[in-house]
Amino acid sequence: MLKKKDKYVVAVVGATGAVGNEMVSILEERNFPVERLRLFASERSEGKTMEFHDKPVEIEILSENVFKGIDIALFSAGAERSIHFAPLAAKAGCVVIDNSSAWRMDPEVPLVVPEVNPHDLKWHKGIIANPNCSTIQMVVALSPIHDAAKIKRIVVTTFQSVSGTGRKAMDELLNQTSALLNFKDIKPSVYPHQIAFNCLPHIDKFLDNGYTKEEMKMVNETQKIMGDKSIRITATTVRVPVFRSHSESVNIETEKKLSANEVRAILSDAPGVVVFDAPEKNIYPFPADAACKDDVYVGRIREDESIENGINMWIVADNLRKGAALNAVQIAEKLIEMT
Ligand code: NAP
Ligand code: 3JN
């Protein structure tokens, strides 16, 4: 349990990664009450430092007995590390906010988006899970609509940027783009196929039911966060040659009829959401605009003319910020507020 203090010893595990880097920046930008920042990564990062409030912080190698004295640990070093180290950190008295899929569906672990289910933070036992990026931006936009009109079914297709796969994937997109523009051959390594000038309907591993793990994360996590197993959800997740921000085409069917204007009004009042929807002026959200911003942007809101109570919309957010690092820091801020 977190004890109320003026400032906290905070750790970022996986600090040198795409998400970890963003966590450090966000802690600094939001002036998080940090007494001391400890940064952990693998032995590959030994000797490196990162800047925090204009001072260098040394990267420490992650090991089993580093957690004593740490109040809050933001984990983003992959599920394997989380499975092994998060319980050790929690045992040492630290509150772990874990960005991986390791603990998300564990019934003993709350899965939290602060705009949607902050109440679930009350029952944590030392580990709190941060949802998948595609789930986070979708539930921030859909939860207020669910409250108003009860969503019966969601059909979502994602357009996910390469930063969702990490630093190496960002390098791969850059290198392939530059090679192809210079008429050179490319050899895919992070993805199974060319990602530059292409779209891959394949994120994470394929499962026996024909869906990918990423698609089933969206289904299961959405039901857990929204606290409603009855919502029927089907997802198709697609990797696109964009560096930052995920986009989603979302179709919902509600119990109660809502007009497009009513949806716009609900979302205009929703925390963390910006309605960006004036198609007559070519105004709609897109990834280049949402990159490095905190809000979830919603546009192209319209009634689905093929069913009785249907709405279509387009949801865009920065996957490294609201989809990962920012949501984790907001969980920590909410925990402090509730302490
Ligand atoms: P990344 O850019 O590849 O960075 C991986 C980080 O983990 C690096 O800091 C790396 O340290 C560290 N690491 C790897 N193996 C380690 C080990 N054995 N011991 C200690 N540290 C180790 O990946 P990323 O995109 O930041 O993603 C990291 C993780 O965050 C993912 O695996 C996933 O679980 C989670 N994630 C969640 C979301 C979400 O949707 N909420 C989105 C993206 C990622 P070195 O630099 O020393 O190698
Ligand atoms: O691909 C994306 O856009 C999001 C990727 C998330 C991710 C990447 C590697 C491992 C995850 C995740 O958060 O679900 C994991 C994982 O922890 O399983």
Side-chain angles (χ1 to χ4, degrees), residues 79 99-101 104 132-133 160-161 164-165 203 214 217 239 246:
N99 238 291
S100 80
S101 59
R104 288 181 194 149
N132 178 268
C133 41
Q160 297 183 218
S161 66
T165 319
I203 298 183
E214 183 80 354
K217 283 174 190 172
R239 186 75 64 197
H246 290 358

Side-chain angles (χ1 to χ4, degrees), residues 252-254 257-258 302-304 307-312:
I252 55 168
E253 191 178 348
T254 52
K257 170 103 188 138
L258 287 176
R302 62 207 189 276
E303 282 154 51
D304 173 356
I307 50 169
E308 203 56 31
N309 297 341
I311 292 285
N312 287 313

Side-chain angles (χ1 to χ4, degrees), residues 14 16-19 41-42 44-45 76-78 81 99-100 131-133 166-167 323:
T16 52
V19 176
S42 77
R44 289 180 291 273
S45 300
S76 112
R81 263 66 61 196
N99 238 291
S100 80
N132 178 268
C133 41
R167 283 169 320 185

Side-chain angles (χ1 to χ4, degrees), residues 1 21 33 44-45 49 51 80 86 90 94 109 161 164 166 171 175 181 189 197 220 227 242 298:
M1 287 303 126
N21 243 292
R44 289 180 291 273
S45 300
T49 58
E51 292 276 304
E80 256 179 69
C94 182
V109 173
S161 66
D171 293 343
N175 294 335
L181 286 173
S189 94
F197 309 104
N220 298 326
V242 165
V298 187

